[in-house]
Amino acid sequence: MYSCNQLLQALEAGQCDAPLSAVYTAGGLAQAKARALHVTQALADSFAPKGAAALFSGPGRTELGGNHTDHQRGHVLCASVDMDMLACAAPNGLNVIRVQSEGYPALEVDLADLSPRPEEANSSAALVRGVAEGVAKRGYAVGGTDICAVSTVLSGSGLSSSAAYEILIGNILNYFFCEGKLDAIELAKIGQYAENVHFGKPCGLMDQMGSSVGGAVAIDFNDPADPVVEQVNFDFSKSGYALCIVDTASSHGDLTDDYAAVTREMGAVAAHFGKAVLRDVPLAEFHAALPTLRAECGDRAVLRAMHFYADDRRAVQEAGALKRGNFQAFLNMVNASGLSSSLRLQNTWSTADPRQQAVPLALTVGEYLLDGKGAIRVHGGGFAGTIQAWVPEGRTALFKTGIEELFGQGKCHVLRIRPQGGCVVVS
C-alpha cells in the first residue's frame, strides 16, 4: 500500500505505468498518468491524508442491445466504455465521507445515519449515502473516507454518469472496508439500490451492471436478485467500426416522468394478465388479447409492450452474433432496435416539449451521413440526450464533422469498449 505522498512519487517515477496502461488502453499512457497525478495531488492538497491511498475507476457504460427491457426482467447487452470517473481516495479516521469532484461543489455525508433523506433526492450526496448504506446492510463497517475525483463521463450523456459514480464509490468502500469481498454484481446491486431508494430514480440494473462488470456483457434479468451475467468475448477494435456517441445537447436530466411512464405502461399491460412484468406474459397470450388491451391500457402501452418482446429477443440474438463473430448481423439488429425504439417504444422525444426533437434530428442526419452503412439508434433511456452510431472507420471523420456542424464542436464522441469495469487501478 502507498501513502498519498508515496503514490505521487510512484506515479512520477513510472512505477504505476503498468496498471495504468492495463486500464487506459485509449488516449495513451501520458494522458492516464497526468490524470492520476492530478487527482492524487488534489487529495494531498485538500485533505493531507495520513494513511493508505489508492486510485479507483468507475467507467461509463453504453447500451448495445435491449432498450428498456431490463425493468421488465428481460435481456440486455451492454458494455463499459473508456470514458470514466477516476478518483484518489484514503480513509480519514472520521465518520464522514468527503468528496470533491472537479467542477462540482464539495459534499460531506455523515455516516451516523445512512437512512434516505428526502432533501438529498437527485443529488450526489444521495448516491454516496445510498452506496454506504448498501454496503453496511451487507454487514460491513463503513468508515470515513476522503475522495477527490475527475470525470470524462459527461453528465446527461446517456453513458450513465450516475452509475459510474455509484460503482466508483462502491469500489472505494469495498477496498478499504470490505477486504474486496463484494464482487462486481453485488456492487452493481448496491448502486441500483442507491439510485432507486436514495436518489429517487426508478432505474433497472443494466446501467450499474454495465459499469461494474466490464467489457461487453449479456444479462438475463429473469431473477433480478440473481441475474445471469455473461461476458461476451468479442474484440470490437477489430470490427472495422468506430462507436460514436452523439450528444444532442438536450439533457435528459429532467425526464424522470417520461421514463416512469414507460415502466408504468408496460406494467399495466402485464397487470392485465395478473403479472408484474412482461417477461412473465407469453407472447401468444399478449397477441390474443390485443383488442382488449387497446381499450384497457391504450395504444401507446400496447406498442411499448410490442417493443419489449421484440427487443428482448433481439438482445439475445445480438450477443449470439458477436459470439459468432458476425458483426454485420449485429449491426442489422442494432438498426432494427433503433426503428423499434422510435416507432413502438416512442422514446426519442418527450410529449412534454414537442418542439425539442434533437434525438430524431440527430438520427435522421446521422442516417444520411452513414449512407446505408453501419448502424444508428437512440442511446439509453432516450427522450433527449444521446444517440449511438457504429460508423465505418473510413467514414468516422466525415460523420463526426457532419454531426458537429449541426450540434456543435465536441458533441460527437468516438469511444472504445473497455475490458475492465469498476476497479482499483493502483493500490
Side-chain angles (χ1 to χ4, degrees), residues 343-396:
L343 295 181
R344 301 182 185 92
L345 185 58
Q346 300 178 39
N347 71 330
T348 59
W349 58 279
S350 172
T351 56
D353 185 12
R355 285 177 57 84
Q356 187 283 107
Q357 298 199 17
V359 168
L361 181 60
L363 291 170
T364 303
V365 173
E367 185 177 17
Y368 169 77
L369 293 169
L370 286 173
D371 192 25
K373 303 174 180 64
I376 194 166
R377 69 197 283 269
V378 65
H379 184 240
F383 299 105
T386 59
I387 66 164
Q388 176 193 84
W390 290 97
V391 184
E393 290 178 350
R395 297 185 70 88
T396 305

Side-chain angles (χ1 to χ4, degrees), residues 7 16 33 44 48 53 105 111 129 134 141 146 201 214 248 354 370 404 422 427:
L7 182 54
C16 305
K33 195 169 178 177
L111 300 175
R129 192 180 304 277
D146 291 330
K201 182 178 178 181
T248 66
L370 286 173
E404 291 186 346
S427 63

Side-chain angles (χ1 to χ4, degrees), residues 8-9 44 50 76 94-95 105 138 194 209 212 215 254 268 270 281 304 309 320 326 331 340 344 373 389 397:
L8 278 170
Q9 293 168 5
K50 304 300 182 185
V76 300
L94 307 173
N95 202 35
R138 285 156 176 80
M209 202 72 82
S212 190
D254 59 350
V281 180
R304 284 175 163 171
Y309 286 109
N326 190 342
L331 292 177
S340 181
R344 301 182 185 92
K373 303 174 180 64

